[in-house]
Amino acid sequence: MGWHSVAIPHLTDNQRGVALITVVLVALAVSSVAIAASMMTMSGTLVRRYSERTSMASQAALSGVELGLSALLANGALYPTTAYITMPLQDSAEVLDAMGNPIPGVRRSIYIGPSADPSRGSIVSEVWVRGGVRAVRRMEVRTSSFASYGYFVGNDILNSDFREKIFGPAHFNYGITISPPSGPDSATFWGKVTTTGTITNISYGSFRQGHQQLATNTSLPVVDFVSLATMATNADLWFSSSETGYSNSPIRLEFIPVDMDGNPATTDDVEGFVRVYKTSPENRPYVTAQVQGGSVLTTPNCGAWNSGQFESAENGDLDSIAARAAIDNNRYRCYLGGDVTLSDSTFSASDGTGFWVLWGGAPVPGLSAVRPADSGYLHPYTKGVNINSSGVIYVHGDVAVSGVVAGRVTVVALDDIIIVDDLVQYTDPGENACAADLLGLIASNDVVIADNTLNTPQRYLGGSSYHTMDDTKDEYVHAVVMALDDFRVHIDPFNPGPNASDNLPAGAEPCEGAPWGRGCLYLTGGIIQRYRGQIGSTSGTGYFLRHSYNQCVLQGGPPQFPSSGSFSKQRVVEMDGANFNPVTWFANYQS
């Protein structure tokens, strides 16, 4: 047997191919790892950059609302009364870093506007960062209304003496003098008193919440009459008048609460109305019930009640002897122009001297069933029945006011506001029902208590006694009064009317038992004025002021009342930056 050699196959070439494939696979794996690592690094970088931009936008938005608050605290007049404003120099403006240098690619706008609640507003900061990042933050602020003052005087060159009792915070841009006590009356300030000067005879006064002398001057606010007129126009509550004087007006607002829900104990947002009586300028004494013909006996607004029937002096129902007898027996009464008593106790759209102004808006549902005679002449001023109302009634000129106010409303006059009879809330201010009624009066000149046949006791020629021609001997006013000149009682220097010495035995109107001329002026609310007007005199003419403070103003003043320039931060919230539009947002915020 021979040996045969066996050929062993050589795998060298195939192994080389496998190695190549292996190398390629390893290379691909390494490359994939490298790419993945690179992608992860790149993704991390993008995430980090986006996070940095988001954080930058958030911080810039937060600093923006703080910047807006600082601007308001520095200049309260910046705060708008309606709509909103873009803060000056902050309309898509550059954002600065801590060193004052612009941050590249970052822009910011800051908006400021009130809410539907006049005591609250918002500062909104909108920020854009290059790369599509957007952030919006809102700071809610609480505004302090100028109505929060119980008593404010911007200037008083006479440095008048004080012996009244004043409630609520009081501020004087001058030094004040305290008069010595007289009987039960002495100067008592129940709120904190601040004065830019000093207090003379300080020991005569009682300061229940303390006092501060040499305080900082506080100016009266700037009232935007143009914006207020626009608000009233939009709600069909703008009326024309004329500038006629301190005790007369050709137009009168008579506030009337209407029970729409069958519950006379309360009012809601659909029960506040006002009627508007108007006449020609020559008949304005009739509107405000001034003495005409030189005597109350010849005044067409007056007459006597006999056996439940009103007999007018104007119509000749009374002769002079009968009229005098009616006065002496306290049956003689006077009424404002347009009063139904002067029209046989029946509502008349026109009485021959003046007329009631028709309501120009849509009919109020259900009103004609409750008030069939005058429903077309009742002007709603609350948003529940007048959706366009901002709570403002505007009169271009003088206006006389009286009646019972239901709801929250501010009367604005581009001259004088004349209080011709009691002007009170439906809900007594003492009940502190702060969601119910609140009245503001803003006059570009004076707010005046009229010297007319209702407010001032009268006597006929030859008569020895004064008699009250109204249903009450005192005057009641529930309002925050702002007069850009003064708030005062009209006292004719040539015929000032009864004084303290006429009380006994002549029968003028004492104030809480103390001899006086026209009795007490019970004012619940605030008195804000540039100059301190005269309420009464040392001889007892005019009224004796009995002032009370309406605590409800601390929760926000009457509608659209100017701010005091004091703002407090409430909270900061994040908003949806992707869908934010300032025009739309503020429109919804204020509705």
Side-chain angles (χ1 to χ4, degrees):
M1 174 183 295
W3 293 94
H4 297 280
S5 60
V6 178
I8 300 174
H10 295 280
L11 302 177
T12 306
D13 293 336
N14 291 337
Q15 289 174 347
R16 288 176 181 172
V18 171
L20 178 60
I21 293 172
T22 302
V23 169
V24 170
L25 291 173
V26 171
L28 287 172
V30 172
S31 177
S32 297
V33 171
I35 291 172
S38 177
M39 291 296 293
M40 290 177 65
T41 301
M42 184 182 299
S43 177
T45 300
L46 292 174
V47 170
R48 185 176 65 253
R49 288 179 180 175
Y50 183 81
S51 178
E52 289 172 351
R53 289 173 180 167
T54 302
S55 177
M56 183 185 300
S58 177
Q59 292 301 317
L62 288 171
S63 65
V65 293
E66 295 290 349
L67 183 63
L69 178 60
S70 296
L72 284 180
L73 293 176
N75 179 18
L78 185 66
Y79 190 74
T81 57
T82 185
Y84 73 95
I85 64 163
T86 302
M87 184 175 153
L89 306 180
Q90 289 296 321
D91 186 2
S92 191
E94 293 180 324
V95 177
L96 306 181
D97 62 18
M99 302 300 293
N101 301 314
I103 302 174
V106 182
R107 293 279 172 172
R108 179 175 61 201
S109 291
I110 301 174
Y111 314 103
I112 302 172
S115 70
D117 179 351
S119 69
R120 297 182 183 277
S122 280
I123 303 166
V124 180
S125 175
E126 182 180 20
V127 172
W128 303 266
V129 176
R130 185 169 52 203
V133 176
R134 194 178 183 195
V136 180
R137 299 292 184 272
R138 177 174 73 92
M139 177 188 287
E140 187 176 88
V141 295
R142 188 176 185 88
T143 64
S144 175
S145 172
F146 220 90
S148 60
Y149 282 106
Y151 201 90
F152 178 98
V153 185
N155 187 19
D156 192 344
I157 57 176
L158 299 178
N159 191 15
S160 303
D161 293 357
F162 270 91
R163 192 181 285 141
E164 295 98 327
K165 291 176 171 59
I166 301 296
F167 290 79
H171 177 81
F172 306 90
N173 283 334
Y174 59 94
I176 62 174
T177 299
I178 308 300
S179 297
S182 176
D185 296 308
S186 61
T188 304
F189 298 90
W190 290 83
K192 183 176 180 179
V193 175
T194 54
T195 171
T196 59
T198 58
I199 303 174
T200 303
N201 297 335
I202 194 170
S203 62
Y204 291 147
S206 176
F207 301 89
R208 300 302 177 91
Q209 298 295 325
H211 56 78
Q212 180 184 354
Q213 303 181 73
L214 304 177
T216 302
N217 184 84
T218 301
S219 300
L220 275 170
V222 175
V223 178
D224 189 348
F225 287 97
V226 174
S227 294
L228 293 170
T230 300
M231 292 179 198
T233 300
N234 293 339
D236 290 303
L237 294 171
W238 185 98
F239 305 99
S240 63
S241 183
S242 57
E243 300 177 8
T244 54
Y246 296 132
S247 287
N248 290 313
S249 171
I251 187 170
R252 178 171 71 89
L253 305 181
E254 180 182 11
F255 286 93
I256 300 174
V258 178
D259 183 12
M260 297 287 288
D261 59 5
N263 182 4
T266 60
T267 60
D268 53 38
D269 201 35
V270 297
E271 300 190 341
F273 296 85
V274 63
R275 283 195 313 207
V276 183
Y277 185 78
K278 201 170 184 181
T279 189
S280 55
E282 62 269 19
N283 289 323
R284 60 184 184 266
Y286 178 75
V287 175
T288 54
Q290 302 296 309
V291 172
Q292 296 186 57
S295 171
V296 69
L297 296 173
T298 54
T299 298
N301 301 73
C302 302
W305 284 95
N306 287 314
S307 302
Q309 184 72 30
F310 182 75
E311 299 174 347
S312 171
E314 181 185 28
N315 296 333
D317 296 333
L318 291 169
D319 59 27
S320 182
I321 295 176
R324 287 187 174 93
I327 291 174
D328 288 336
N329 288 283
N330 294 315
R331 291 183 289 105
Y332 208 78
R333 291 289 179 267
C334 299
Y335 299 90
L336 297 165
D339 193 288
V340 295
T341 304
L342 302 175
S343 301
D344 297 324
S345 299
T346 302
F347 175 79
S348 177
S350 176
D351 59 11
T353 304
F355 61 94
W356 293 99
V357 178
L358 272 168
W359 161 238
V364 177
L367 182 60
S368 60
V370 181
R371 303 273 301 208
D374 65 348
S375 61
Y377 300 87
L378 291 169
H379 302 246
Y381 52 79
T382 57
K383 197 172 275 293
V385 282
N386 185 345
I387 191 63
N388 296 316
S389 177
S390 298
V392 175
I393 300 172
Y394 185 95
V395 180
H396 191 81
D398 289 318
V399 62
V401 292
S402 62
V404 180
V405 175
R408 301 169 72 92
V409 64
T410 297
V411 177
V412 181
L414 200 61
D415 196 22
D416 301 320
I417 295 176
I418 305 159
I419 300 173
V420 290
D421 197 7
D422 294 334
L423 181 63
V424 297
Q425 294 179 187
Y426 184 85
T427 304
D428 192 310
E431 296 180 9
N432 288 323
C434 298
D437 315 325
L438 191 61
L439 173 64
L441 302 176
I442 301 177
S444 67
N445 286 328
D446 306 318
V447 177
V448 185
I449 308 288
D451 178 10
N452 63 2
T453 55
L454 284 81
N455 296 340
T456 305
Q458 304 290 323
R459 65 181 177 185
Y460 56 83
L461 184 63
S464 60
S465 299
Y466 283 97
H467 295 270
T468 298
M469 301 295 163
D470 195 11
D471 55 348
T472 60
K473 72 176 186 63
D474 299 306
E475 191 72 9
Y476 294 86
V477 177
H478 299 162
V480 180
V481 175
M482 176 179 282
L484 299 189
D485 276 341
D486 63 34
F487 168 70
R488 60 192 173 82
V489 173
H490 184 213
I491 302 175
D492 187 338
F494 301 104
N495 184 23
N499 57 41
S501 63
D502 291 316
N503 279 139
L504 300 173
E509 297 174 339
C511 177
E512 298 178 358
W516 212 261
R518 300 187 201 174
C520 297
L521 170 57
Y522 291 104
L523 190 147
T524 303
I527 300 174
I528 301 165
Q529 54 192 328
R530 185 178 305 279
Y531 306 107
R532 187 179 176 212
Q534 184 180 21
I535 304 298
S537 69
T538 54
S539 65
T541 58
Y543 294 96
F544 200 103
L545 177 63
R546 288 292 189 250
H547 176 252
S548 298
Y549 186 60
N550 189 345
Q551 297 284 341
C552 293
V553 298
L554 298 177
Q555 299 182 26
Q560 311 307 326
F561 222 77
S563 167
S564 66
S566 175
F567 301 86
S568 59
K569 174 180 175 180
Q570 298 297 291
R571 59 175 181 154
V572 177
V573 296
E574 181 177 356
M575 298 177 65
D576 179 9
N579 298 305
F580 175 75
N581 179 287
V583 175
T584 304
W585 188 85
F586 274 101
N588 292 330
Y589 182 58
Q590 294 163 358
S591 63

